[in-house]
Amino acid sequence: MSEAKQTGQNEFKSISAAWAAAKEKNNAVQKQAQTPTQPSNSRKPLDEAIEGKYNVLHLKSVVFPLIFFFFHAYGIYVFTTGFLLTRLVLEDKSTCDQPPLTVAGFTPGSHERGCWHPKTFEKAVVVIIDALRYDFTVPGQGEPRHWHNALRVFHETAVAEPYNAFLLPFIADPPTTTLVRLKGLTTGNLPTFIDAGSNFAGTAIEEDNLVAQLLHHNRTMVHLGDDTWQALFPGYFDANLTRAYDSFNVWDLHTLDNGVTEHLFPLLEPANRTKWDVVFAHYLGVDHAGHRYGPDHPAMTAKLQQMDDVFRKVIQSIDDDTLLVVMGDHGMDAKGDHGGESDDEIEAAIWMYSRKGAFGRTRPDHLTPPRTAKGRSVDQIDLVPTLSLLLGLPIPFNNLGTPIQEAFIGRDSRDFGNLATVNAITATQVRDYQQKYSIARGEDAADMSGLRLLWDDAQASWDALSEKPDVEALKQVFSKFMAYQRNTLTMCRYLWARFDLFNMGLGIASLTVSLICLYCFAMVPGPLMETHISIKLFPIAKCLSAGIATTILISLMGITTSLWSLKEAGLLGATGSCAVAFWFTHTDSQIVPKLYPNSLWGWQALIFTLLPAIGFASNSFTIWEDEILLFFLGTFGFLAVVSSIRKAVFTDSVIGVSQSLLFLVITRLASLSRLCREEQMPFCHSTYYASATSSTSAEWQLFIPFAMTVFLPTIIKSYYHGTKSYEGSAIFWIGFAFRMGLLGSTVFWVINAADDGNWLAVEEATLKVSRNAIALIVYGTAFVAGTTTFYYCDPCVNLVTVGTDDDNPNDPTRRKVVTILGYANTHGSRYFLVVTNWILAIALVQKPMGAGAIGLLTWQILALLEIVDANDLSQSVIGPIVLGLLGNFYFFKTGHQATLASIQWDSAFVGLTKITYPWSPLLVVLNTFGAQILVAVSVPLVALWKQPPKKKGLLGGVVKALAVFMLYHATINLATTMWAGWLRRHLMLYRIFSPRFMTGAAVLLIVDVVGIVVGLGAVRWNTVSVGQAFGWP
């Protein structure tokens, strides 16, 4: 500090002149001191020239990280095209007059009697209760839960009227998201991540499906409820009767459900039955109750009881010719979320009801519904052939499902002839599809030899049936066709799990090459970085242009058309040429010796990066990643204590030891916030929500944002006081605006809790308006007022003029001493203001426990900066690496896991009343990756914290810190990508390894963008402001 003050005294004349216009001096001081020169409207030509050079250098500094972002995006894109499963969509359509199999005694092609099989029903009411888990529909067992015995009508009717109704577990194929499940429920095909087809556009289903067949055969359809149906089937439904509602507002449990019920019952009245043939109704209240509260909550009881009441009335409203189908598209886990493949997420329920008693059972022990979903079950794709044949429609061409036995065995449970017939028809349709698909994809005929034998055996048994076959012969035919269909389904699952190894390998190679280039760039010594950036950009640009031009030329000549499109060839050329350029420009004699760690901190950073990269090959490591990160951070804190004790300067030692111990304490305190994933049970206890089965916060957790409002601004203020930087804009922004923003966030969550718990006798709409208004004010404070303040504010310093102690205080000519308060941290104190803006926004979209975690993260970042300064580590790689560890650690502490089910979708409505693009997705990103975003914004502070205004090479230090930070995440991404590719046949691929790969890829791209746009952008504003106040170095 003494050296900084001496520097300030030597520069008094230039500094006081620049600050005279911004500060009002004490009248007495102005009379005693020489009046400083007022700044003119035109700045010194030398300063303008230096600023111009800085702007050019800054632009070049942005280009380099942008190139690496391009590397990362390209590698992830190419790998993803080979890794995420694809399925070719065939354009073939089933027709009424061309059945796959002719049935004796029945003339096909009649819309009145039935196309391929005599129809059983004229009309149908098909209802989806979103997230209807099977155990919601059967009598409760074990410890009492809120969903027990709330929805009884399905089980009661299936037991009391077994020939009118049946209830079965309805097993979904993951991923268990509504849009994917609706595709399976209407096409009868398996889900994949990418559907490739020549007519694919948007989210509309172009392949043959049940809804399209209804439309083609002039059936009038009505849709009520979830508007996802409108995106999948645009223009299919009667516009006058259809009522679609927004499906994503998980905080609204009633609007959509009430709307569906309001419009459903009038359609069932005798006077209106001629206006429709099929009604599709989609309730969302159960799903939203799960997302908002979890299944074990009184709100779930209320929604299930509401559904029970609705369907008791529907039963009384339909006629004998109408089939009633009620089903769940998926289930929900213990917290009410879904998207993965756990048992609770895939075990939905299906219930069919007919007043005329058309159903039966193939076995006596099937007379009552299974007690659990582990009993007799049906696949969700089985709905498609079942509904098609019952309504007299052709089965969609792409179907792989099997008719549900209870719907065709007959009331006497002896009609095995009909059961064998519908299975023969469906099996023949499946065989036609399988053969056509194999030809289109060029599948190896040897792969189908086993299926061919099963088919030949089933066909021979069918052909051998006499005119009056006995029951055993029919059972045998039925069983053989069933076996063929099930084995075909298994084979298709295997075939569509074939990965494009070429694209996967190319993506991994691209990510590997980019990682090597980024490593070489990040290891450039800090003092050389600015010079390096200035002289290396042009050769890289030349190689980039030449590479793109060459590969495009090759593609146009047709040399690569068998493997590459023009776009892919251009991307490959850009990647390859950049890699070559980086290699040749970053391997000179000044850089190569720096590629290896030469200190304890360097080796520690290497271990912290490589150990997780290797460990992600283990499913146990991936499952317990949060605990491993806790160990790494604890190790860093311990070594920081040891290093600080050894410091020669007593002040640095005290600061280093105290902040290192604080770092350890905060780490342990943050570890108390946990959201356990299913695989961690029973060795993990969730604390993020009120309970392990809840999606709401406990009442005591509301004190966390209150405490954050009181203490966090004071904590930040204490770090500013350490360098006397709590001056200027910092006083207003941190002491008032930032605190008021945190208070607004606190009030928001209190109102939300009051709405959840019905604490206040206030209408829900009023609470919603108040809550959203407060959220918008906080957003405005963070991004509008905060950004404006950061852009226009002066550095957080102040000039204090006092007389020397040895002078006569009454002597008007005595000498004056100028002290610049905050001089030693001019860059860091001003830049941290932009970090507070992001703290406000990120804390708002987190639950109370998550907001507390963000507060601890902020405190830990400040402690880390003090550790870095006390141990002279601003040029070391350890600072950015530990920031990367902190970001990933607090990803888990804010209630997230590397699973789809942990995404907090309700964050899309913090401040919004409905889905609004692009804001709603951005809010989900801010909630999910808020910790990584915050540390990405904080990365420049590693180079800027406690740096005086005229310190040279700061921009180079910032670029180096950002490059090391990107390097850490690029390594994690490459590792998760490689292990996901290598373990592509692992049993836990889609439960553990694939979600971790997707998380790593998303984090890498997000921190790249935030670091470049926010980090480097804010550094420019920060440096220009300081340069204009103090002059350029």
Side-chain angles (χ1 to χ4, degrees), residues 883-899:
L883 280 176
L885 291 174
L886 284 173
N888 286 347
F889 178 68
Y890 278 92
F891 168 79
F892 298 103
K893 302 304 109 181
T894 52
H896 299 96
Q897 287 281 350
T899 60

Side-chain angles (χ1 to χ4, degrees), residues 755-829:
D755 186 16
D756 289 345
N758 297 317
W759 299 348
L760 304 175
V762 181
E763 292 186 3
E764 182 179 352
T766 303
L767 292 176
K768 183 183 296 185
V769 171
S770 303
R771 182 177 62 201
N772 290 342
I774 292 172
L776 293 176
I777 291 173
V778 175
Y779 289 142
T781 302
F783 292 126
V784 180
T787 303
T788 303
T789 299
F790 177 76
Y791 183 84
Y792 287 105
C793 75
D794 292 321
C796 301
V797 298
N798 193 14
L799 293 176
V800 177
T801 307
V802 297
T804 58
D805 294 337
D806 56 348
D807 287 340
N808 182 0
N810 297 321
D811 183 2
T813 63
R814 64 174 179 160
R815 292 173 299 167
K816 306 297 186 301
V817 176
V818 175
T819 299
I820 308 175
L821 302 180
Y823 184 88
N825 195 19
T826 308
H827 286 279
S829 60

Side-chain angles (χ1 to χ4, degrees), residues 299-610:
M300 182 61 73
T301 305
K303 291 308 300 184
L304 292 175
Q305 289 175 343
Q306 179 188 11
M307 293 295 98
D308 186 83
D309 180 64
V310 166
F311 289 106
R312 290 183 188 277
K313 295 177 181 178
V314 171
I315 289 174
Q316 303 300 321
S317 302
I318 61 174
D319 58 21
D320 291 352
D321 291 327
T322 301
L323 170 66
L324 176 59
V325 183
V326 182
M327 61 190 140
D329 56 340
H330 51 74
M332 63 174 68
D333 64 14
K335 299 187 293 74
D337 298 319
H338 56 89
E341 55 179 330
S342 68
D343 288 348
D344 282 345
E345 292 172 272
I346 66 173
E347 292 172 350
I350 185 170
W351 175 76
M352 286 192 179
Y353 181 85
S354 165
R355 293 179 66 90
K356 64 182 178 182
F359 305 134
R361 306 293 188 273
T362 56
R363 291 169 48 178
D365 57 340
H366 290 170
L367 197 61
T368 58
R371 291 174 58 85
T372 70
K374 302 300 186 292
R376 161 161 163 67
S377 62
V378 295
D379 291 332
Q380 290 197 351
I381 58 175
D382 295 346
L383 175 72
V384 173
T386 302
L387 277 184
S388 297
L389 295 175
L390 289 176
L391 296 176
L393 298 170
I395 300 173
F397 185 80
N398 295 331
N399 167 70
L400 291 172
T402 302
I404 298 175
Q405 299 170 21
E406 283 79 354
F408 298 97
I409 191 62
R411 183 184 179 91
D412 59 358
S413 299
R414 300 284 296 172
D415 197 354
F416 282 94
N418 187 44
L419 193 58
T421 299
V422 296
N423 275 275
I425 293 173
T426 308
T428 308
Q429 169 266 315
V430 170
R431 177 175 178 267
D432 292 345
Y433 169 70
Q434 177 261 319
Q435 289 182 334
K436 190 71 174 289
Y437 189 90
S438 298
I439 294 173
R441 291 298 294 259
E443 304 290 358
D444 189 353
D447 292 338
M448 306 298 171
S449 58
L451 292 178
R452 189 177 300 110
L453 292 175
L454 288 174
W455 171 258
D456 292 342
D457 186 27
Q459 185 67 41
S461 298
W462 173 262
D463 293 338
L465 287 176
S466 61
E467 292 185 1
K468 294 183 178 181
D470 57 30
V471 173
E472 292 303 320
L474 292 171
K475 285 183 177 180
Q476 187 179 42
V477 171
F478 156 66
S479 299
K480 289 183 177 181
F481 277 122
M482 278 281 294
Y484 170 77
Q485 292 176 83
R486 293 305 182 191
N487 279 272
T488 301
L489 182 61
T490 302
M491 177 62 70
C492 288
R493 283 195 172 107
Y494 171 77
L495 291 177
W496 295 338
R498 286 184 175 177
F499 301 89
D500 187 339
L501 298 182
F502 180 80
N503 274 8
M504 290 170 61
L506 184 64
I508 291 174
S510 176
L511 290 172
T512 304
V513 170
S514 70
L515 184 69
I516 295 172
C517 295
L518 180 56
Y519 180 76
C520 295
F521 179 72
M523 292 303 106
V524 175
L528 299 177
M529 182 62 80
E530 292 185 3
T531 303
H532 188 83
I533 291 173
S534 298
I535 64 177
K536 301 298 185 181
L537 182 61
F538 186 63
I540 292 175
K542 288 195 299 183
C543 285
L544 177 64
S545 302
I548 294 177
T550 302
T551 49
I552 290 179
L553 180 62
I554 293 175
S555 180
L556 290 174
M557 293 171 61
I559 297 177
T560 61
T561 52
S562 61
L563 292 176
W564 301 102
S565 67
L566 182 64
K567 175 180 65 176
E568 291 169 326
L571 291 173
L572 177 64
T575 304
S577 58
C578 277
V580 171
F582 265 100
W583 177 256
F584 283 107
T585 59
H586 288 73
T587 53
D588 55 40
S589 59
Q590 291 180 303
I591 298 174
V592 170
K594 304 295 183 180
L595 295 180
Y596 310 99
N598 55 6
S599 67
L600 172 65
W601 296 112
W603 283 108
Q604 186 179 359
L606 183 65
I607 292 172
F608 285 167
T609 304
L610 292 184

Side-chain angles (χ1 to χ4, degrees), residues 40 62 75-76 158 164 477 514 657 672 768 928 934 971 1020:
S40 60
V62 172
I76 292 170
N164 295 82
V477 171
S514 70
V657 170
L672 299 178
K768 183 183 296 185
T928 306
L934 184 59
T971 305
R1020 182 191 178 280

Side-chain angles (χ1 to χ4, degrees), residues 46-112:
L46 179 60
D47 286 345
E48 293 180 348
I50 296 175
E51 183 177 340
K53 290 181 179 180
Y54 173 81
N55 290 334
V56 174
L57 178 63
H58 181 273
L59 180 61
K60 293 181 178 180
S61 301
V62 172
V63 171
F64 276 81
L66 275 176
I67 292 175
F68 288 113
F69 169 71
F70 166 80
F71 277 168
H72 298 153
Y74 173 72
I76 292 170
Y77 163 76
V78 174
F79 177 83
T80 300
T81 59
F83 179 72
L84 298 184
L85 307 183
T86 61
R87 172 172 62 86
L88 179 66
V89 174
L90 302 181
E91 297 181 0
D92 300 69
K93 312 289 184 183
S94 297
T95 58
C96 187
D97 56 353
Q98 294 182 347
L101 179 70
T102 302
V103 180
F106 175 74
T107 303
S110 171
H111 293 276
E112 291 74 23

